[in-house]
Amino acid sequence: FQRLTFRIGSVDSAVFAPDGETIVYSARWGNSPSEVFTTRAATRGSRPLGLTDALVLAVSSREELAFLVRPQLSSWAVFEGTLARAPMAGGTPREVLEGVIDADWSPDGKDLAVIHVVGDRYRIEYPIGKILYGPDPPTWMSDLRLSPRGDRLAFAEHPVPGDSRGAIQVVGLDGKKQTLASGFTALGGTSWSPNGDEVWFSATRASGGSHQIHAASLLGRERLLYELAGSFGVY
């Protein structure tokens, strides 16, 4: 591991830009509100992007940011806010949708998939406005990620409000849901493997245990990728 941030505070999200070297992240340093920064693995400094009270969610293949403005803590390490988009190189943010938990770009960078909260119901929309999945309350969802081919969406599904226990699910463009791994007492943070055959995520099945990094294949096979003492998560 290589440490990239050195200030006192909280890093709430982090994603790679299309070049695979630039990292865009959101952090609350000291008593300041969340702000978006960029850094690179080869450097020791960070540069602010001029987006304050904002939480980055994803960077498109066209180098456009999707982020939350005015994010509010909804559950442990999960925020809700208004989805906005802006060029990574700089520009005026454009607000898109209220009540968003997470979002990710399509591979071509044209459309967004979102977890949208409407009343007490959480639903996955892709593209925005087309509902692929919407479980009955009180089930809630987090950590949405589109597959590299854009044909499936992985997410964490939680049965208890404010509680991170749950399962890793995948839903296809036809709305059919598949459970890849379940029985976790806490989970959060999802990512697809580069070839799109597995979903990687941080979770534990032990009560009060440390998170591990797991991989679950589309065939339902699960394996342990990495184990580390302490609390950590996949961004």
Side-chain angles (χ1 to χ4, degrees):
F1 292 94
Q2 179 179 344
R3 185 172 178 175
L4 297 178
T5 62
F6 298 86
R7 298 171 66 179
I8 296 174
S10 173
V11 177
D12 294 318
S13 66
V15 291
F16 280 107
D19 63 11
E21 297 291 334
T22 302
I23 297 157
V24 187
Y25 71 93
S26 300
R28 292 173 287 165
W29 300 132
N31 296 319
S32 300
S34 184
E35 186 174 358
V36 181
F37 301 87
T38 62
T39 188
R40 294 175 66 87
T43 65
R44 294 287 294 269
S46 294
R47 179 175 66 89
L49 290 184
L51 301 173
T52 57
D53 199 12
L55 181 83
V56 67
L57 301 176
V59 184
S60 77
S61 56
R62 301 182 177 194
E63 297 192 347
E64 187 175 6
L65 299 176
F67 56 98
L68 296 181
V69 293
R70 303 177 295 278
Q72 299 294 318
L73 195 62
S74 174
S75 182
W76 184 83
V78 176
F79 294 81
E80 180 180 341
T82 297
L83 177 65
R85 51 193 291 179
M88 185 174 159
T92 303
R94 178 166 65 91
E95 295 188 6
V96 177
L97 185 68
E98 294 181 352
V100 172
I101 295 289
D102 207 347
D104 198 15
W105 290 100
S106 59
D108 61 8
K110 294 181 179 180
D111 294 311
L112 282 160
V114 297
I115 296 176
H116 185 198
V117 184
V118 180
D120 60 354
R121 184 180 291 272
Y122 286 68
R123 61 196 200 189
I124 291 176
E125 301 176 11
Y126 178 60
I128 292 175
K130 180 182 179 181
I131 302 172
L132 290 182
Y133 178 62
D136 292 331
T139 298
W140 64 285
M141 299 175 290
S142 65
D143 304 288
L144 180 69
R145 283 292 174 262
L146 258 166
S147 68
R149 291 184 288 270
D151 59 344
R152 293 179 174 90
L153 298 91
F155 60 97
E157 187 172 54
H158 315 277
V160 180
D163 193 311
S164 63
R165 74 186 69 185
I168 293 295
Q169 310 279 13
V170 168
V171 65
L173 302 185
D174 57 1
K176 293 182 179 179
K177 189 189 73 165
Q178 176 187 1
T179 301
L180 298 190
S182 60
F184 298 102
T185 57
L187 80 161
T190 58
S191 177
W192 287 88
S193 62
N195 62 11
D197 290 341
E198 290 182 317
V199 177
W200 297 349
F201 57 98
S202 49
T204 181
R205 288 189 174 96
S207 178
S210 299
H211 279 46
Q212 304 159 316
I213 300 179
H214 298 256
S217 75
L218 297 176
L219 298 177
R221 290 193 293 265
E222 186 182 333
R223 63 191 180 100
L224 181 65
L225 283 181
Y226 195 78
E227 192 169 19
L228 181 72
S231 177
F232 66 99
V234 173
Y235 283 145

